[in-house]
Amino acid sequence: MAVQNELGTDTSSGRVSPFYDPRIRGIVFQAALVIFVVVLVYIGASNAIENLQSQNIASGFGFLGNTAGFAISQTLIPYSVTSTYGDAFVVGLLNTLLVAAIGIVLATILGFIIGIARLSSNWLVAKVATAYVEIVRNLPLLLQLLFWYFAVVKSLPSPRESYGPLAGIYLNIRGLFMPKPVFGPGSWLFDAAIVVAIVAIVVIWRWASQRQAATGQQFPTLWTSLALFFGLPLFALVVTGFPVTFEMPELKGFNFTGGMRMEPEFVALLLGLVIYTASFIAEIVRAGIQAVSHGQTEAAGALGFRRGLTLRLVVIPQAMRVIIPPLTNQYLNLTKNSSLAVAIGYPDLVSVFAGTVLNQTGQAVEVIFITMLVYLTISLLTSAFMNWFNLRMALVER
Amino acid sequence: MTNKFLPWLVAAALGVAATAAQADTLADVKAKGFLQCGANTGLLGFGSPDDKGEWKGFDVDFCRAIAVAIFNDPTKVKFTPLTAKERFTALQSGEVDVLVRNTTWTLSRDSQMGLIFAGVNYYDGQGFMVRKSLGISSALELSGASVCVQTGTTTELNLADYFRANGMQFNPVVFEKSDEVVQAYDAGRCDAFTTDASGLYAERLKLTNPADHMVLPEIISKEPLGPVVRQGDDKWLTIVKWTHYVMLNAEEAGVTSANVEQMKTSDNPDIKRMLGTEGTFGEPMGLTNDWGANVIAKVGNYGEVFDRNVGPETPLGISRGLNALWTKGGLQYGPPVR
């Protein structure tokens, strides 16, 4: 007690020994921790460099400029055997981003449908949705990927016995082949029409919501948007006299050549990721909807809203507040899970860069470091975007 | 699967200090009481566990020979199954003492990876396997084909080189494990499957209908396969290298696991030195003087190991070819023990 009294008098006189000042203490401890972490990282890094040198293992990032010398099946940028390891890295990165981006969109759509279906008053629909969720989310993703690849995709017929449901579209074990549109001269009008349509749609949406806020009058924005998006480019095509031809896939030698093609590895990975992640999204959506008090639905009913309108205008906007934060997690999971591609031969970042490149160069430390950095960056960017989106969707308190 | 990398990364970043500082693998192995050998994840005839979980194969027997040289006991060896892309990191980080996993000797592997090859225990070359129903007879007819290949191999690079050199197109389908490659080829995902010729013979046996497939005549590369160790431990390199040579010399001198005991009384000074009845050739290596005799007695000479695992009498049915002794027109040549 005496000590405390003495301290107390010290404080009142305004002269605390810096040793006892909690603010200074806090700073000192935090500085000490920072120094400790920096020193630890430095020791780790210098130790690694020293050991790599003493073991005669090449180090540094110069290898990125060397010729790769191996081929990759699916490339979004021009890539050949003579490209560099750096190019191979970009190819792998783009393949990862491609499957993650398409996967996120499809998983969200499927997840919302299943999530809402789970709450359907139709017994059959609700039970089917429940069964889907319970089966899919309780099986390991790797098993599901292997199932989609080895059991489903691999049981497709050989190129010579392809399914050809429609002219120009072929499905076989080598992938899905589709006609590729080739744009001739004058097709710039078509491109321009798409851009104009998108701009017009944004303008109309803004105008319609402002008008509704001011006058209460509604405008059929959805139908107008659809009409614009498909109508304008079609109109442009008619005006320019259809400068589009289609390059049809043809069976030549072993395989189909020409046209567009989706690799079976890509399809299997996408299917696996979408179906798996959608089951989690469905549960998030269900939870979000159930978090909205039933009184809101009843109130909407009392105002004469139809069920669909109640869901769209009352329930979902409020549910989104609950849904978005965990949804972010699922998007991150999907992106990171795409690295399981290595099991089914899809050339993603891990397979191409942390697989082939690592092995051909032997520079494990650098390659794994870059790969981890890439996943970290992708995840943080996704997270930042979703936080921004969450702020936009949060209830505005007036 | 990829998580296997994490411990290695940590080891490579931090723990390598231990291996770099000591670099006395023989002492480490003796202290541990067993040899840790990097093996294939499953290549019939070369390195794969049998139905009782016991490792069998040409490369596996070489690991056992090293274990016998050190401990005089072929069971004092543990195997770490490694995929093509895991193998070098595992060796660099000290997870395995020696890598005997049909690995091709190349310049960059000797110069950039901190590794060194201890010789060639199997001269191989890369080939292609296709379905007979495809109706082709040469690899030069493969333009436009989908080709299944394992990642992180010289095979992957040779494949790209070969098609580029001949102005042909191809579509690679790349897997991490050899089993996955074979499965994909078997399911018809690819027109052709490529790996070392020895591997083609081994993997063909795993196919649903081996008779429906054929190996094309072209050998598109040189694939000298051999054991690999870390740089900076010459004593250990010597042991691995000479284990191979003593098995070659034994075959050349006609010493087999069956007659090694009688051969010990032989008057031939070459044989006496090899089996340790004359001179002290084992001790400077840190082994016993009769290490050579032990290897031959417990594992056999090179020819015995070859015939037992991959030779004409086995399902693989590979003839000696380049791997015959130099006295019989092959390339296998053991420097003299003296």
Side-chain angles (χ1 to χ4, degrees):
Chain A
M1 288 301 267
V3 176
Q4 269 183 357
N5 279 343
E6 215 176 286
L7 268 179
T9 45
D10 253 17
T11 323
S12 60
S13 71
R15 294 184 56 80
V16 187
S17 151
F19 191 72
Y20 290 110
D21 187 327
R23 216 168 53 86
I24 294 179
R25 274 192 160 193
I27 291 173
V28 168
F29 281 128
Q30 290 195 22
L33 183 69
V34 169
I35 292 171
F36 176 73
V37 170
V38 168
V39 167
L40 201 69
V41 170
Y42 176 78
I43 292 176
S46 60
N47 188 350
I49 292 169
E50 196 179 303
N51 282 316
L52 289 177
Q53 275 170 356
S54 71
Q55 283 196 307
N56 286 327
I57 300 175
S59 59
F61 293 95
F63 71 92
L64 287 173
N66 296 349
T67 304
F70 61 90
I72 304 175
S73 59
Q74 177 185 313
T75 59
L76 296 178
I77 56 165
Y79 174 91
S80 73
V81 176
T82 48
S83 301
T84 62
Y85 286 124
D87 294 330
F89 165 74
V90 176
V91 167
L93 175 61
L94 289 178
N95 284 344
T96 290
L97 290 178
L98 178 75
V99 78
I102 299 180
I104 282 175
V105 172
L106 294 183
T108 309
I109 295 172
L110 185 62
F112 267 75
I113 293 172
I114 305 280
I116 291 170
R118 274 204 76 178
L119 296 171
S120 168
S121 51
N122 181 324
W123 186 86
L124 188 64
V125 171
K127 291 301 162 199
V128 168
T130 308
Y132 170 90
V133 168
E134 292 305 338
I135 291 171
V136 170
R137 73 169 174 172
N138 288 317
L139 290 175
L141 176 57
L142 185 59
L143 278 185
Q144 294 191 32
L145 285 179
L146 293 176
F147 169 77
W148 288 114
Y149 188 55
F150 285 104
V152 177
V153 176
K154 286 287 197 55
S155 55
L156 291 171
S158 72
R160 278 158 219 262
E161 296 150 355
S162 309
Y163 296 129
L166 286 167
I169 298 181
Y170 299 98
L171 182 65
N172 60 48
I173 194 166
R174 303 289 159 74
L176 180 63
F177 296 80
M178 291 164 290
K180 181 163 109 188
V182 181
F183 292 97
S187 61
W188 62 271
L189 201 65
F190 175 78
D191 300 339
I194 293 179
V195 175
V196 170
I198 290 172
V199 171
I201 288 168
V202 172
V203 170
I204 288 175
W205 275 60
R206 288 234 169 132
W207 169 79
S209 73
Q210 273 167 9
R211 193 179 73 147
Q212 193 180 355
T215 67
Q217 284 177 300
Q218 288 188 340
F219 185 80
T221 39
L222 183 68
W223 297 113
T224 323
S225 308
L226 284 177
L228 276 175
F229 190 75
F230 291 104
L232 266 187
L234 197 68
F235 181 68
L237 282 185
V238 172
V239 167
T240 50
F242 286 97
V244 186
T245 51
F246 285 94
E247 182 190 312
M248 293 288 179
E250 269 180 279
L251 187 59
K252 264 192 200 157
F254 308 110
N255 261 323
F256 281 92
T257 52
M260 284 196 296
R261 120 182 194 150
M262 274 161 81
E263 302 276 339
E265 289 79 25
F266 174 77
V267 176
L269 180 65
L270 191 65
L271 265 179
L273 286 175
V274 165
I275 288 173
Y276 180 73
T277 314
S279 69
F280 288 89
I281 293 180
E283 280 299 272
I284 292 169
V285 169
R286 180 192 57 76
I289 290 175
Q290 285 183 330
V292 177
S293 139
H294 190 56
Q296 298 276 339
T297 315
E298 286 173 342
L303 288 172
F305 278 41
R306 274 173 286 117
R307 281 185 62 93
L309 221 51
T310 310
L311 195 66
R312 194 155 66 82
L313 294 177
V314 177
V315 177
I316 298 228
Q318 296 187 71
M320 285 309 273
R321 284 182 303 157
V322 184
I323 291 174
I324 291 172
L327 201 56
T328 311
N329 283 339
Q330 293 310 321
Y331 290 174
L332 297 182
N333 280 348
L334 188 145
T335 310
K336 289 180 285 183
N337 284 341
S338 71
S339 62
L340 288 171
V342 76
I344 55 169
Y346 175 71
D348 79 324
L349 183 68
V350 170
S351 165
V352 170
F353 194 64
T356 306
V357 172
L358 186 156
N359 205 267
Q360 303 297 2
T361 62
Q363 295 190 249
V365 176
E366 291 88 346
V367 168
I368 295 292
F369 178 75
I370 294 178
T371 311
M372 291 199 298
L373 208 62
V374 165
Y375 277 100
L376 187 67
T377 312
I378 297 176
S379 293
L380 289 180
L381 285 178
T382 312
S383 199
F385 172 77
M386 291 303 283
N387 284 343
W388 169 83
F389 187 57
N390 191 30
L391 278 179
R392 282 289 304 263
M393 295 299 285
L395 271 200
V396 183
E397 307 222 338
R398 279 181 252 239
Chain B
M1 196 166 288
T2 44
N3 286 349
K4 276 188 194 165
F5 273 117
L6 196 62
W8 295 349
L9 178 70
V10 174
L14 300 167
V16 167
T19 53
Q22 305 170 5
D24 187 352
T25 314
L26 180 61
D28 290 348
V29 169
K30 280 181 173 168
K32 263 193 309 202
F34 61 88
L35 174 77
Q36 191 77 44
C37 192
N40 201 302
T41 49
L43 182 62
L44 222 62
F46 285 85
S48 65
D50 66 8
D51 48 7
K52 294 186 198 79
E54 201 173 315
W55 285 84
K56 288 272 167 63
F58 181 76
D59 283 341
V60 163
D61 277 350
F62 188 75
C63 289
R64 293 198 192 282
I66 302 172
V68 171
I70 301 167
F71 299 111
N72 191 17
D73 184 350
T75 62
K76 288 199 170 168
V77 51
K78 291 189 180 174
F79 296 95
T80 306
L82 297 168
T83 67
K85 79 171 199 188
E86 293 164 345
R87 55 188 164 178
F88 298 122
T89 322
L91 181 61
Q92 286 168 343
S93 64
E95 193 177 321
V96 296
D97 301 310
V98 59
L99 180 69
V100 193
R101 190 208 166 280
N102 49 300
T103 300
T104 306
W105 186 358
T106 69
L107 172 59
S108 65
R109 287 173 178 176
D110 253 1
S111 63
Q112 291 171 23
M113 294 191 177
L115 306 177
I116 191 154
F117 279 76
V120 179
N121 70 343
Y122 191 99
Y123 288 96
D124 210 342
Q126 181 176 345
F128 291 95
M129 180 156 54
V130 295
R131 282 181 181 68
K132 286 180 180 161
S133 62
L134 220 51
I136 63 169
S137 56
S138 158
L140 291 167
E141 298 171 47
L142 279 174
S143 189
S146 294
V147 184
C148 281
V149 62
Q150 191 180 8
T151 188
T153 52
T154 48
T155 315
E156 202 181 358
L157 303 177
N158 298 332
L159 174 67
D161 282 351
Y162 182 74
F163 277 79
R164 178 157 58 122
N166 290 296
M168 304 191 294
Q169 299 293 314
F170 77 109
N171 184 41
V173 184
V174 181
F175 295 90
E176 194 183 335
K177 294 210 174 96
S178 52
D179 274 351
E180 292 165 353
V181 183
V182 177
Q183 226 178 346
Y185 170 73
D186 202 16
R189 174 65 185 89
C190 306
D191 300 301
F193 160 47
T194 184
T195 188
D196 298 339
S198 62
L200 289 179
Y201 289 107
E203 303 290 19
R204 190 160 88 139
L205 302 175
K206 291 189 197 157
L207 298 173
T208 330
N209 289 312
D212 292 350
H213 303 265
M214 60 185 264
V215 176
L216 294 176
E218 282 85 357
I219 294 293
I220 67 168
S221 69
K222 291 189 284 187
E223 306 285 337
L225 311 180
V228 199
V229 296
R230 284 181 292 278
Q231 282 184 14
D233 190 350
D234 296 356
K235 203 167 138 193
W236 182 242
L237 172 67
T238 307
I239 292 172
V240 174
K241 195 163 35 179
W242 281 91
T243 304
H244 175 51
Y245 292 152
V246 86
M247 288 162 79
L248 287 179
N249 283 326
E251 188 188 359
E252 194 181 330
V255 183
T256 66
S257 53
N259 69 10
V260 63
E261 286 308 319
Q262 302 139 34
M263 283 295 190
K264 276 182 180 171
T265 58
S266 159
D267 294 330
N268 184 334
D270 276 343
I271 294 177
K272 288 175 107 167
R273 283 192 292 268
M274 186 163 65
L275 301 181
T277 47
E278 186 181 299
T280 54
F281 293 99
E283 274 165 20
M285 298 165 72
L287 305 173
T288 56
N289 285 329
D290 60 350
W291 70 281
N294 294 337
V295 169
I296 310 305
K298 302 247 161 86
V299 178
N301 67 32
Y302 182 84
E304 285 179 276
V305 170
F306 192 100
D307 290 342
R308 178 165 70 222
N309 292 300
V310 298
E313 306 296 309
T314 66
L316 269 74
I318 302 176
S319 60
R320 286 291 285 273
L322 291 176
N323 293 297
L325 289 178
W326 65 288
T327 47
K328 292 178 184 157
L331 292 174
Q332 291 292 0
Y333 183 104
V337 178
R338 62 163 60 248

